[in-house]
């Protein structure tokens, strides 16, 4: 890769919540048809139940046999009871290159071919590698036409998807760039637990007793644990960075809301009303994440899944989330109103289902704890912030036939109509930190065993720098590009996309960009779904919407 040099210094409102979209429960007598019975609603093409109709009685041990199913409803048409899919599926395209003017103000992103042409003609310089940005030397922002772009965010506990999109005059959304941010909140939590254990040991080991002081400390309003605050600040880092690289006009984020107690008891008010850790997640999305998008009884994946009551409602079971699981269509029908003790013969699987049903979803609690902090931080930027639920995000992604990924979920966040294109290559930014303040390494008892040098830079390099190493001879001959880990001896380690290469001498390395606390890689987006796969996913997502519900969602 050729690098161009420049004399200039290079840079280092909430939507209303709809009811949960659930299938008609198979273990609720009278709520749907069983054993092949079929009732057709007044709306053409929409059938009662889950949209599938099996012939004959199905036995528990014959759940996935070849069974005739009714023809699915038409993919396109004027029927308001059918989920309308876009006639033209979105196309994968090369991610756009960010462009800055001569005054370092953002311009509209450019096609990679145009960026290569500007660099070859000497009209631009490389300003930044990740994300790749060029800077024009002959044009300012005031001399250019800037339409503005939208930054869309799909916040998560471990990964946050960010997509830069442009919206055409006819409302078609085009994904220009996709970023997948990998948080290290779990690492922060584990390190803080180790630190607390060491401090607790020092306080009580071979010295007089000193009482802990945490009981006298108060926390300000809006306080978040460091592991949670890291997720908000890491996301805001990329929002502010994109704001300086692209002409951001608006921000859209997925702001999920869910309240179990109010669903079970709409009259609950006052001190009796408390939002739990699950507040902010819809039932179906919560169950899909909790059970790994697979059938709890046969571990089937890639098939339509229904919401099943572990303890059937016909036998006194409730609608609480702790009593809900996911089941494929054959298992759901075979279980009927049987108790789990009779339906699941394997005691190990039965125990696992019971234990997992009662276990909370930690990632959902993290998203719920940080959603409003992220929303307030985005609002403080002065940009227009739009929000949407998780159900709407999946509705938009399914309707446009897009595969499941963090960047594409972000592209479909908020009010999204037709998606015309999306970035085929995603920048993966992993939070790597800026090193440690510790000057020693301790043993398992907490005593120091070695001392670390205070100088973090050796031979002009620092751990975290992005380098290119060209080794012309020897056992490690080759070209390596990645993140470097330095040593005072001059023997460096380079982390590439293929793995870690050890023992590269410093004289072979060329600096590409300085460390900024992030490790960068790229990955290709999955191939978009075919028309048949899109229809299957459509039935899996909305297998049995009543005509009134599906018609209400046509204006989304």
């Amino acid at each position: 890769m050729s690098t161009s040099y420049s004399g200039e210094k290079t840079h280092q409102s909430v939507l209303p919540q709809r009811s949960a979209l659930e299938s008609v429960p198979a273990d609720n007598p009278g709520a749907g048809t069983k054993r092949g019975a079929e009732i057709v609603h007044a709306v053409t093409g929409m059938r009662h139940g889950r949209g599938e109709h099996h012939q004959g009685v199905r036995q528990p041990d014959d759940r996935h046999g070849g069974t005739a199913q009714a023809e699915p409803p038409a993919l396109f048409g004027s029927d308001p009871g059918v989920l309308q899919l876009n006639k033209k599926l979105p196309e994968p395209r090369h991610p756009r290159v960010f462009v800055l003017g001569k005054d370092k103000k953002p311009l509209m992103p450019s096609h990679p071919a145009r960026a290569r042409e500007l660099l070859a003609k000497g009209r631009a310089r490389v300003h930044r590698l990740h994300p790749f940005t060029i800077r024009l030397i002959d044009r300012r922002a005031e001399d250019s036409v800037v339409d503005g772009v939208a930054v869309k965010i799909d916040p998560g506990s471990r990964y946050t998807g960010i997509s830069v999109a442009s919206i055409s005059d006819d409302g078609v959304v085009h994904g220009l760039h996709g970023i997948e941010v990998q948080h290290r909140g779990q690492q922060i939590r584990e390190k803080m637990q180790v630190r607390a254990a060491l401090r607790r040991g020092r306080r009580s080991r071979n010295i007089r007793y000193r009482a802990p002081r945490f009981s006298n400390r108060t926390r300000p309003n809006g306080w978040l644990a460091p592991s949670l605050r890291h997720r908000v600040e890491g996301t805001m880092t990329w929002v502010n960075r994109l704001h300086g690289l692209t002409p951001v006009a608006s921000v859209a984020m997925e702001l999920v809301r869910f309240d179990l107690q109010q669903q079970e008891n709409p009259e609950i008010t006052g001190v009796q009303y408390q939002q739990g850790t699950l507040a902010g997640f819809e039932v179906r999305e919560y169950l899909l994440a909790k059970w790994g998008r697979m059938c709890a009884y046969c571990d089937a994946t890639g098939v339509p899944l229904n919401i099943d009551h572990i303890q059937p409602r016909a036998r006194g079971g409730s609608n609480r989330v702790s009593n809900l699981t996911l089941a494929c269509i054959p298992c759901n029908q075979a279980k009927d109103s049987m108790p789990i003790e009779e339906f699941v013969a394997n005691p190990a699987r039965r125990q696992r289902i019971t234990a997992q049903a009662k276990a909370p979803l930690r990632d959902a609690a993290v998203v719920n704890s940080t959603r409003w902090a992220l929303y307030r931080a985005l609002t403080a930027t002065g940009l227009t912030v739009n929000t949407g639920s998780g159900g709407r995000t999946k509705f938009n992604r399914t309707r446009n036939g897009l595969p499941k990924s963090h960047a594409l979920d972000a592209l479909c966040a908020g009010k999204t109509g037709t998606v015309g294109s999306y970035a085929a290559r995603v920048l993966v930014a992993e939070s790597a930190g800026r090193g440690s303040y510790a000057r020693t390494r301790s043993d398992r008892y907490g005593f120091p065993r070695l001392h670390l040098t205070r100088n973090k830079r050796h031979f002009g390099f620092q751990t975290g720098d992005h380098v290119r190493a060209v080794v012309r001879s020897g056992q490690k001959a080759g070209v390596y590009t990645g993140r470097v880990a330095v040593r005072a001896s001059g023997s460096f380690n380079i982390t590439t996309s293929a793995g870690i290469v050890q023992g590269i001498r410093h004289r072979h390395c060329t600096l590409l960009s300085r460390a900024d606390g992030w490790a960068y890689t790229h990955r290709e987006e999955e191939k978009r779904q075919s028309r048949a796969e899109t229809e299957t996913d459509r039935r899996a997502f909305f297998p049995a919407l009543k005509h009134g519900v599906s018609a209400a969602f046509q204006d989304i």
Side-chain angles (χ1 to χ4, degrees), residues 2 56 103 158 170 382-383 388 453 482 491 496 513:
S2 61
D103 50 0
R158 303 178 184 180
D170 54 355
L383 299 171
T453 175
S491 180
T496 66
S513 62

Side-chain angles (χ1 to χ4, degrees), residues 379-422:
T379 305
T381 60
L383 299 171
T384 303
V385 181
N386 303 314
T387 60
S389 66
R392 164 174 277 189
T393 299
K394 187 171 183 179
F395 177 87
N396 294 333
R397 179 171 54 82
T398 305
R399 181 177 57 179
N400 287 281
L402 292 172
K404 170 70 176 177
S405 72
H406 300 285
L408 294 181
D409 277 346
L411 181 62
C412 298
K415 187 175 181 179
T416 303
T418 302
V419 177
S421 62
Y422 63 93

Side-chain angles (χ1 to χ4, degrees), residues 38 105 134 242 247 373 552:
E38 178 177 319
K105 293 184 179 180
I134 63 174
L242 292 175

Side-chain angles (χ1 to χ4, degrees), residues 223-261:
W223 178 87
L224 289 174
S227 60
L228 301 181
R229 188 172 67 249
H230 153 76
R231 293 173 171 90
V232 178
E233 293 177 351
T235 303
M236 289 304 304
T237 295
W238 278 98
V239 172
N240 295 330
R241 183 174 295 181
L242 292 175
H243 195 189
L245 300 178
T246 59
V248 180
S250 63
V251 178
M253 67 169 290
E254 181 180 300
L255 185 65
V256 290
R257 298 170 305 282
F258 180 62
D259 189 354
L260 290 175
Q261 297 197 48

Side-chain angles (χ1 to χ4, degrees), residues 424-505:
R425 200 179 188 205
V426 177
L427 173 65
V428 180
E430 180 182 358
S431 179
R434 297 179 179 270
S436 172
Y437 291 103
R439 299 267 63 86
T440 63
R441 288 286 186 264
S442 61
D443 57 15
R444 60 177 180 173
Y445 301 106
F447 293 99
R449 61 181 180 87
L450 58 86
H451 296 274
L452 302 178
T453 175
R454 291 184 177 273
N455 185 19
K456 289 189 174 183
R457 183 164 295 181
H458 301 283
F459 303 98
F461 299 94
Q462 180 180 346
T463 297
D465 290 347
H466 198 76
V467 302
R468 175 186 173 92
V470 180
V471 182
R472 302 189 181 278
S473 62
Q475 295 181 350
K476 296 184 176 63
V479 179
Y480 310 101
T481 303
R483 190 172 183 266
V484 68
V486 302
R487 293 194 185 99
S489 62
S491 180
F492 297 166
N493 295 345
I494 300 178
T495 303
T496 66
S497 58
I500 300 178
V501 182
Q502 300 182 352
I504 302 298
R505 298 300 299 178

Side-chain angles (χ1 to χ4, degrees), residues 9 64 132 195 243 277 308 319 360 391 444:
K9 184 178 180 180
H64 290 278
F132 191 77
R195 186 185 69 175
H243 195 189
T277 57
D308 182 71
N319 286 325
R444 60 177 180 173

Side-chain angles (χ1 to χ4, degrees), residues 235-387:
T235 303
M236 289 304 304
T237 295
W238 278 98
V239 172
N240 295 330
R241 183 174 295 181
L242 292 175
H243 195 189
L245 300 178
T246 59
V248 180
S250 63
V251 178
M253 67 169 290
E254 181 180 300
L255 185 65
V256 290
R257 298 170 305 282
F258 180 62
D259 189 354
L260 290 175
Q261 297 197 48
Q262 197 172 33
Q263 280 196 351
E264 295 183 6
N265 184 8
E267 304 300 329
I268 187 170
T269 57
V271 296
Q272 298 178 355
Y273 175 76
Q274 295 290 334
Q275 285 189 340
T277 57
L278 305 184
F281 232 75
E282 290 142 310
V283 175
R284 183 175 291 275
E285 284 299 300
Y286 173 74
L287 292 176
L288 287 173
K290 182 176 182 178
W291 295 91
R293 287 177 165 80
M294 67 172 58
C295 176
Y297 303 115
C298 65
D299 298 335
T301 58
V303 298
L305 298 173
N306 293 334
I307 297 178
D308 182 71
H309 293 74
I310 299 175
Q311 181 68 17
R313 294 178 60 187
R315 297 177 180 267
S318 65
N319 286 325
R320 297 182 63 88
V321 174
S322 59
N323 190 44
L324 298 179
T325 184
L326 295 178
C328 62
I329 296 169
C331 289
N332 192 14
Q333 290 195 345
K335 184 175 180 291
D336 199 18
S337 59
M338 297 169 57
I340 188 173
E341 293 78 10
E342 297 181 9
F343 182 69
V344 181
N346 188 351
R349 178 181 291 272
R350 183 168 61 246
Q351 183 179 3
R352 179 179 61 83
I353 293 175
T354 305
Q356 187 173 353
K358 297 180 179 180
L361 188 62
R362 181 174 299 175
D363 292 337
V366 170
V367 174
N368 175 70
S369 302
T370 58
R371 59 189 178 123
W372 287 115
L374 179 59
Y375 176 78
R376 288 190 293 266
L378 292 174
T379 305
T381 60
L383 299 171
T384 303
V385 181
N386 303 314
T387 60

